[in-house]
Amino acid sequence: MNNRAVNISSLVILLSLVSFIAEACLYYLINYHWVSILFAVLFSVGLSHFCLESSLNYGYSFLHAAFMVTITFIFSTVIYLIQPNQWIHYDFSMVVLVLVNWITPFIYCNIRDMMDRGPRFDGFHLFFQRMSILFIVFFLFVVVKQYFLTPITPPYQELPFGAHNFVPMMTTASYIEFAINSHTSLFPLFCYIAEMIALGVPIGFFVRIYGAKLPFFLRLAIYAGIPIILELLQELTGRGWGDIDDVTMSLLGVLIGVILFYLLNGLSQSVSNREYMMSRNQTSNYFS
């Protein structure tokens, strides 16, 4: 590694640290936590642009993303563990803050890769693989927490006598009917549904990306198998509440993830005239 690379790496880490300090201060000082999130987006776009223009490859963008995701994840975990705390409160915006620090450079670099018409920038595929590994590692932490450590559960009660529901969405529909008739807020249910769907989106997206060369029915089995296995593990370990409705919501998230891939693929074909994640010198259809 030459002196220029060392200097750029040091500068990226220093600027990322400044960004984290600013995000933490904004989170602590301002009650409207979206301000901290907005700052993270703007700073991340600017720093990603600087990284790409100064080095002509995507490596420093990954360095920035890895540093920010790791340090904000540690920060949010510490705040979560010391609750209740009168000075700083943990809420869902901390999860969004971690996600924003990953997804902003990811989206920016995807756009730049699609828009670039020449060989000026290189290393996008390595960047994508590293960003995927970074996301999957932290996503596994989230899955373990949400399924087994502090399991998320719906706002309605489990069926009596250990009974199980085998009709998709029947229990959820019954609760919605009950809530409407009793004028009970449906907001907790909607939050629960949104969280279960969100947990399925990365499964669909990354299985479609990295399982592109697998037979269709094998991919289909993986799509369905992961949510089912997670629910069965909940049932076997007695953690959470294994239910067919959870599987259905997760599968909806998986479907959204697959659709997201096809949207990106269509956008890549329209903008750069090549399949998504296909190298510029590649002539075969990577996703056939």
Side-chain angles (χ1 to χ4, degrees):
M1 183 180 291
N2 56 40
N3 290 335
R4 183 174 183 273
V6 172
N7 291 336
I8 296 176
S9 298
S10 301
L11 182 58
V12 169
I13 292 176
L14 177 61
L15 292 175
S16 298
L17 182 60
V18 170
S19 175
F20 165 71
I21 293 172
E23 290 172 23
C25 289
L26 289 171
Y27 186 93
Y28 174 73
L29 295 173
I30 301 177
N31 290 330
Y32 302 102
H33 294 158
W34 60 266
V35 175
S36 178
I37 295 171
L38 179 61
F39 173 85
V41 172
L42 296 177
F43 195 97
S44 186
V45 169
L47 189 51
S48 296
H49 178 79
F50 165 78
C51 291
L52 193 56
E53 293 293 334
S54 62
S55 65
L56 302 184
N57 68 68
Y58 296 88
Y60 296 107
S61 294
F62 170 75
L63 176 63
H64 157 63
F67 182 90
M68 291 303 301
V69 169
T70 302
I71 198 168
T72 52
F73 179 82
I74 293 173
F75 175 68
S76 62
T77 302
V78 170
I79 299 304
Y80 175 80
L81 292 175
I82 64 174
Q83 296 299 302
N85 187 287
Q86 61 177 335
W87 300 107
I88 186 167
H89 300 285
Y90 176 89
D91 60 28
F92 186 71
S93 59
M94 281 197 167
V95 178
V96 177
L97 194 61
V98 177
L99 180 60
V100 157
N101 280 299
W102 178 86
I103 202 170
T104 303
F106 180 77
I107 291 176
Y108 177 81
C109 290
N110 269 272
I111 293 173
R112 291 298 299 266
D113 179 64
M114 290 182 188
M115 299 296 292
D116 179 33
R117 288 293 185 269
R120 183 185 177 199
F121 304 111
D122 61 6
F124 177 76
H125 287 74
L126 181 59
F127 167 82
F128 185 92
Q129 291 168 7
R130 289 173 172 175
M131 290 291 282
S132 299
I133 293 171
L134 178 67
F135 181 89
I136 291 170
V137 167
F138 285 98
F139 179 68
L140 290 176
F141 277 104
V142 173
V143 168
V144 170
K145 175 187 177 297
Q146 298 298 80
Y147 274 89
F148 304 107
L149 298 182
T150 55
I152 52 175
T153 55
Y156 45 82
Q157 298 296 316
E158 191 171 0
L159 296 176
F161 309 113
H164 291 278
N165 172 34
F166 295 101
V167 181
M169 303 307 291
M170 185 184 72
T171 307
T172 301
S174 299
Y175 176 77
I176 292 175
E177 182 180 4
F178 164 78
I180 293 174
N181 293 334
S182 61
H183 304 288
T184 303
S185 174
L186 287 170
F187 183 73
L189 177 64
F190 292 151
C191 290
Y192 173 75
I193 292 175
E195 189 165 1
M196 292 302 303
I197 291 175
L199 288 172
V201 172
I203 298 173
F205 182 76
F206 286 111
V207 170
R208 183 62 186 86
I209 288 285
Y210 291 107
K213 296 184 178 180
L214 295 177
F216 172 75
F217 289 105
L218 179 55
R219 277 206 314 270
L220 200 62
I222 296 174
Y223 292 144
I226 294 176
I228 291 173
I229 289 172
L230 288 173
E231 293 299 323
L232 288 176
L233 287 175
Q234 276 195 316
E235 183 68 24
L236 293 173
T237 59
R239 303 295 298 173
W241 176 10
D243 188 76
I244 189 66
D245 287 9
D246 294 353
V247 175
T248 304
M249 296 171 198
S250 296
L251 288 177
L252 178 58
V254 169
L255 177 61
I256 293 173
V258 175
I259 292 173
L260 178 60
F261 161 78
Y262 282 109
L263 290 175
L264 281 173
N265 193 40
L267 182 62
S268 180
Q269 289 176 328
S270 300
V271 175
S272 60
N273 297 317
R274 55 190 168 88
E275 301 283 345
Y276 183 61
M277 286 296 294
M278 178 184 286
S279 299
R280 291 181 177 84
N281 58 0
Q282 205 169 352
T283 57
S284 61
N285 191 332
Y286 179 79
F287 294 105
S288 61

